[in-house]
Amino acid sequence: MLKKAVLISVLMMLPSLSHSTVQTKKQIDCLATNIYHEAKGESRKGKLAVGFVTINRTKSGKFPKDICAVVHQKTNKTFQFSWVRNKKNAKVNSELYADIKDIAELVYHNYDDLDDPTNGSLYFHSTRINPKWGKKKTVVINNHVFYK
């Protein structure tokens, strides 16, 4: 009984994570994972650009307001981000992911104070493909073409 009382006392002294802290961590993790899979081979600017598109979507009114919902969104049986369909097979380089998580945290916490390298884009694709989207092209950064 004494062990249980001591354990409860210790647990009560530990700092608790608020719901908003847990939710923020989850959003940053989803953002970092999306940047990782979409832009791991890109420059820092290219990684920032993917982060901005992801958050731009949450603020646009055209997509979910939650980063994780944007990342995992499926429209007409097609995922918005192609890597999501194959995520079970995705291997992650932990060192690279840690660097990308820093970028995700930067974009997440400073979105309003940073210059958006995509000029407000909501969409992008690889330069290797040429879809007929009918959207306004804003910029090409590394191996991605960005659109509004």
Side-chain angles (χ1 to χ4, degrees), residues 130-144:
N130 190 20
K132 304 296 182 206
W133 283 357
K135 300 183 185 318
K136 180 183 177 195
K137 182 167 40 170
T138 58
V139 66
V140 176
I141 301 172
N142 303 134
N143 295 308
H144 287 113

Side-chain angles (χ1 to χ4, degrees), residues 48-105:
L48 285 167
V50 169
F52 266 92
V53 166
T54 309
I55 294 178
N56 289 348
R57 286 182 174 202
T58 68
K59 299 187 180 292
S60 73
K62 297 178 181 181
F63 296 90
K65 293 181 180 185
D66 175 273
I67 292 171
C68 294
V70 163
V71 169
H72 295 97
Q73 185 179 13
K74 197 174 187 183
T75 306
N76 298 328
K77 299 182 182 181
T78 303
F79 288 102
Q80 293 290 305
F81 298 100
S82 59
W83 71 266
V84 176
R85 140 182 98 245
N86 301 319
K87 68 182 175 185
K88 291 181 182 173
N89 300 326
K91 294 185 179 171
V92 175
N93 174 315
S94 58
E95 188 175 319
L96 179 57
Y97 183 84
D99 291 340
I100 289 173
K101 188 160 182 186
D102 289 343
I103 291 169
E105 288 176 350

Side-chain angles (χ1 to χ4, degrees), residues 2-148:
L2 183 58
K3 286 183 182 180
K4 186 176 181 181
V6 171
L7 178 60
I8 290 171
S9 297
V10 169
L11 289 174
M12 291 180 70
M13 288 188 279
L14 293 174
S16 65
L17 293 174
S18 69
H19 175 70
S20 63
T21 302
V22 170
Q23 188 60 22
T24 296
K25 182 184 178 325
K26 180 180 176 187
Q27 296 300 301
I28 291 170
D29 287 342
C30 286
L31 183 60
T33 302
N34 198 43
I35 295 168
Y36 180 88
H37 290 294
E38 290 289 340
K40 65 181 164 255
E42 303 295 310
S43 68
R44 179 177 174 82
K45 184 177 181 181
K47 291 175 180 95
L48 285 167
V50 169
F52 266 92
V53 166
T54 309
I55 294 178
N56 289 348
R57 286 182 174 202
T58 68
K59 299 187 180 292
S60 73
K62 297 178 181 181
F63 296 90
K65 293 181 180 185
D66 175 273
I67 292 171
C68 294
V70 163
V71 169
H72 295 97
Q73 185 179 13
K74 197 174 187 183
T75 306
N76 298 328
K77 299 182 182 181
T78 303
F79 288 102
Q80 293 290 305
F81 298 100
S82 59
W83 71 266
V84 176
R85 140 182 98 245
N86 301 319
K87 68 182 175 185
K88 291 181 182 173
N89 300 326
K91 294 185 179 171
V92 175
N93 174 315
S94 58
E95 188 175 319
L96 179 57
Y97 183 84
D99 291 340
I100 289 173
K101 188 160 182 186
D102 289 343
I103 291 169
E105 288 176 350
L106 174 72
V107 175
Y108 184 87
H109 290 297
N110 300 286
Y111 173 84
D112 293 325
D113 299 322
L114 296 172
D115 289 329
D116 178 353
T118 73
N119 301 311
S121 293
L122 299 175
Y123 310 93
F124 66 91
H125 64 75
S126 168
T127 55
R128 292 175 290 176
I129 63 171
N130 190 20
K132 304 296 182 206
W133 283 357
K135 300 183 185 318
K136 180 183 177 195
K137 182 167 40 170
T138 58
V139 66
V140 176
I141 301 172
N142 303 134
N143 295 308
H144 287 113
V145 183
F146 295 85
Y147 298 84
K148 282 188 179 184

